[in-house]
Amino acid sequence: MKLIWKFNLVLLGIFLLGFAIAGYVSYRALQANAREEIVQNARLMMEAALASRTYTSTQVKPLLETQLKYEFLPQTVPAYAATEVFNEMRKRHPDYGYKEATLNPTNPRDRASDWEADIVNKFRMSATTPELYGERDTPTGRSLYVARPIQVKSGTCLECHSTAEAAPRTMIDVYGNSNGFGWKMNEIIGAQVVSVPMAVPIARATQSFRTFMLSLLGVFLLVIVLLNVMLYTIVISRVTRLAKIANQVSLGNMDAGEFKTKSKDEIGVLTEAMARMKASVVQAMNMLDGSK
């Protein structure tokens, strides 16, 4: 096997190893970054929901206290307000979701589904857990959710949700007296759940991975072409010339050519050594001819 083929086989093996390692590391990193981006988007939505709740409870509800004595207004309920805000957003982005999933809600639309109930129960079993997130399959594709517990921390909540008898009559007229009662102070009664689609960030990460790998492949092809040109110019052509002259000299053809070089590298040193060897052979042959 020729030297250049051996060189290319070794280079190919090194490249394949490096290509595999780079592909594995970059794929994992890009996918992790995509998931982190999704989590951050979900947390931003969660903060927006909290801001909406705070605004409603501190600025909207106080303005309507008098009217609430005669008519129950769900718009003054922080959970209702946050849900309505995100329902407006879902008209343009239907794959996004926000729900204040509650095990025993006053408003039936807030009742936790099976998978949401599992999240709420995890919070109830570990009250110190501030946040949970994970992935799940939905009809529109893979989705990532971020959930935070809803805990009764204010006596204001118990004014409406302790017992049906203590709840405002106007609220009972709207929702009835069957659900949304029996809450206790510091009890985790539900979870804020934000759902964010994963398709777009994951697709971007996959596209970036493909672009990176194709670029890496292009760089390798360019490097191997340049290395082959350099190898042929600097090594192969010079060694081939030396081999041809040396082969002719070994057959007794002293006029095959001269071992000439201006280079001081290893091949240049070898060329000078072969030139001296040829001169020594010619001198020895001349001495033998003269002694006959």
Side-chain angles (χ1 to χ4, degrees):
M1 184 181 292
K2 293 185 177 182
L3 180 62
I4 194 168
W5 290 113
K6 292 181 179 180
F7 173 80
N8 279 294
L9 285 176
V10 172
L11 190 62
L12 179 62
I14 295 173
F15 167 75
L16 289 177
L17 178 61
F19 193 77
I21 294 174
Y24 175 78
V25 172
S26 61
Y27 182 81
R28 292 290 299 272
L30 289 170
Q31 292 294 316
N33 288 339
R35 282 174 171 78
E36 182 61 26
E37 177 186 343
I38 298 169
V39 171
Q40 292 303 322
N41 288 339
R43 286 173 176 161
L44 184 61
M45 290 178 60
M46 185 72 75
E47 294 301 324
L50 292 173
S52 177
R53 287 173 61 95
T54 301
Y55 174 80
T56 302
S57 62
T58 59
Q59 299 191 44
V60 176
K61 186 176 180 180
L63 296 175
L64 301 173
E65 287 290 350
T66 302
Q67 189 174 349
L68 285 171
K69 295 178 181 179
Y70 307 99
E71 179 185 5
F72 179 76
L73 301 174
Q75 291 80 6
T76 61
V77 179
Y80 181 92
T83 301
E84 287 298 307
V85 167
F86 278 92
N87 282 343
E88 286 296 318
M89 186 192 75
R90 293 187 72 236
K91 292 179 180 179
R92 293 189 177 183
H93 305 281
D95 293 339
Y96 288 78
Y98 173 79
K99 183 177 179 180
E100 302 217 357
T102 310
L103 296 180
N104 182 23
T106 303
N107 191 333
R109 75 175 181 180
D110 295 330
R111 184 172 300 281
S113 61
D114 291 341
W115 71 273
E116 291 167 340
D118 291 338
I119 294 174
V120 176
N121 288 324
K122 288 180 181 179
F123 284 127
R124 290 168 69 92
M125 289 186 293
S126 179
T128 58
T129 302
E131 182 180 270
L132 291 173
Y133 68 90
E135 299 176 17
R136 57 185 294 267
D137 291 319
T138 68
T140 57
R142 197 75 172 164
S143 178
L144 183 142
Y145 66 84
V146 172
R148 293 179 182 175
I150 300 175
Q151 188 174 20
V152 179
K153 295 183 178 180
S154 172
T156 305
C157 294
L158 298 181
E159 292 176 1
C160 296
H161 299 286
S162 58
T163 63
E165 291 74 17
R169 181 52 51 187
T170 54
M171 188 186 81
I172 297 296
D173 292 340
V174 174
Y175 294 115
N177 59 3
S178 300
N179 299 305
F181 304 105
W183 295 8
K184 299 177 181 179
M185 184 64 71
N186 296 322
E187 179 187 14
I188 294 176
I189 50 89
Q192 292 175 282
V193 182
V194 169
S195 298
V196 180
M198 300 182 65
V200 173
I202 294 297
R204 284 203 303 263
T206 302
Q207 183 59 43
S208 297
F209 171 74
R210 290 174 180 168
T211 301
F212 171 74
M213 297 305 288
L214 288 174
S215 300
L216 187 61
L217 179 62
V219 170
F220 168 74
L221 293 176
L222 178 62
V223 168
I224 199 171
V225 168
L226 293 176
L227 285 177
N228 273 272
V229 171
M230 293 173 60
L231 179 65
Y232 182 81
T233 304
I234 298 174
V235 179
I236 302 297
S237 61
R238 295 167 66 189
V239 171
T240 301
R241 177 176 175 276
L242 288 178
K244 288 181 178 179
I245 296 175
N247 185 54
Q248 291 296 316
V249 171
S250 68
L251 296 175
N253 182 10
M254 299 302 169
D255 298 325
E258 298 294 331
F259 295 102
K260 294 181 179 180
T261 183
K262 295 181 180 179
S263 175
K264 298 299 181 182
D265 58 14
E266 289 80 358
I267 297 179
V269 173
L270 176 61
T271 302
E272 292 176 352
M274 294 184 72
R276 290 193 298 271
M277 182 181 67
K278 178 185 176 184
S280 298
V281 171
V282 172
Q283 184 179 3
M285 291 179 66
N286 290 335
M287 292 175 63
L288 288 173
D289 291 338
S291 63
K292 290 181 180 180

